[in-house]
Amino acid sequence: MQTIGLIGGMSWESSVTYYQVINQIIKQELGGLHSAKCILYSVDFHQIEQCQASGDWDKSAEILSDAALKLQNAGADFIVICTNTMHKVATNIQANITIPIIHIAKATTLALKNKQLNKIALLGTKYTMEQDFYKKIIIDNGIDVIIPEKDEREIINNIIFDELCLGSINLKSKNILLNMIDKLAFAGAQGIILGCTEIGLLIDQSDTQFPLFDTTLIHASYAAYYALGIESYKKL
């Protein structure tokens, strides 16, 4: 079993899910008292969010590269960045380490291709929805990506940062997101990417018949199978 290096804390609410899912899969695959070999470096999300808001992506890349290097030096065999948005600087981080980064959008794309989808909707922070660093990976694999309207993107972003990252689960916000999902389905989306690691704390597949792709669950699952040397794409 390989050792997983987790860069967490963005937010710590969703980092808990990563740890839980990874260990559940290790136990499922190996049985008995087996658990994952992993090292967690949890950053101060306040610093990262300030970098996001000010557009100082270079500074955020420095912070996360330092975390990744420390994980590598501590014995991690590969890195999992436990957030969607900060994969914007994944290339910068990779340039500072020699072990691989398991990219969340690439893992999610494999899950979409397994379902043979060709048009998907993306929910996430405004950075993830509006910028190309995430969508391009999916689009380059022949899958069209649509996003909510601008005012709806602001609403989603506020729900993420003002509620979910603070551990607040609001029924009104849940209904807002479910209504958006219905609207995106009407617009032709064949499924919805929950492209923020916190959104899965608010809604899950039991809330709708429309296919959801929770990137937290996908990414954590991929990491666990990768650590075991199992072809992850067959399990997503």
Side-chain angles (χ1 to χ4, degrees):
M1 185 195 313
Q2 295 191 71
T3 300
I4 307 170
L6 300 164
I7 304 179
M10 301 171 284
S11 68
W12 70 263
E13 299 283 347
S14 61
S15 299
V16 172
T17 305
Y18 270 87
Y19 187 72
Q20 182 180 46
V21 170
I22 288 170
N23 277 288
Q24 286 173 340
I25 290 175
I26 297 298
K27 180 180 179 180
Q28 170 189 303
E29 293 296 325
L30 299 183
L33 297 176
H34 284 286
S35 57
K37 292 171 62 179
C38 60
I39 308 166
L40 170 64
Y41 189 107
S42 188
V43 301
D44 180 358
F45 191 32
H46 175 76
Q47 291 182 305
I48 299 298
E49 191 280 328
Q50 284 188 322
C51 291
Q52 292 176 346
S54 64
D56 194 351
W57 298 102
D58 288 340
K59 178 62 176 178
S60 65
E62 288 178 14
I63 295 170
L64 298 186
S65 292
D66 178 67
L69 187 58
K70 287 176 178 175
L71 287 170
Q72 176 177 284
N73 291 339
D77 293 302
F78 62 94
I79 298 293
V80 174
I81 307 169
C82 303
T83 167
N84 284 272
T85 299
M86 295 317 299
H87 278 76
K88 177 177 172 68
V89 296
T91 301
N92 308 66
I93 299 169
Q94 185 66 80
N96 288 284
I97 57 177
T98 57
I99 58 177
I101 294 172
I102 303 300
H103 200 292
I104 194 168
K106 292 180 180 178
T108 300
T109 299
L110 289 173
L112 297 173
K113 293 180 76 171
N114 282 349
K115 298 296 184 182
Q116 299 182 323
L117 304 185
N118 52 46
K119 188 172 186 179
I120 196 79
L122 173 63
L123 304 182
T125 65
K126 61 184 178 182
Y127 314 106
T128 301
M129 289 187 288
E130 295 173 359
Q131 299 181 24
D132 288 336
F133 70 92
Y134 194 96
K135 294 184 291 186
K136 188 176 186 300
I137 291 173
I138 300 169
I139 293 168
D140 285 350
N141 279 273
I143 302 170
D144 292 334
V145 179
I146 62 174
I147 58 176
E149 300 293 335
K150 181 174 175 53
D151 61 332
E152 295 173 326
R153 299 198 295 269
E154 288 295 330
I155 291 170
I156 297 170
N157 198 70
N158 290 338
I159 290 172
I160 291 168
F161 285 102
D162 297 341
E163 298 175 21
L164 299 178
C165 287
L166 298 174
S168 175
I169 305 299
N170 188 309
L171 181 59
K172 180 180 178 181
S173 297
K174 179 175 186 172
N175 289 331
I176 288 171
L177 290 186
L178 290 174
N179 286 335
M180 287 185 192
I181 287 172
D182 289 341
K183 183 177 178 180
L184 291 164
F186 185 77
Q190 298 169 317
I192 303 287
I193 299 174
L194 305 185
C196 168
T197 53
E198 280 76 36
I199 295 180
L201 301 173
L202 184 61
I203 58 176
D204 60 35
Q205 194 61 72
S206 67
D207 295 312
T208 177
Q209 294 182 335
F210 198 62
L212 301 181
F213 294 84
D214 186 330
T215 53
T216 306
L217 303 182
I218 292 169
H219 200 205
S221 298
Y222 191 101
Y225 291 123
Y226 188 92
L228 293 174
I230 297 173
E231 293 181 307
S232 307
Y233 70 91
K234 295 181 179 180
K235 296 282 188 174
L236 300 178

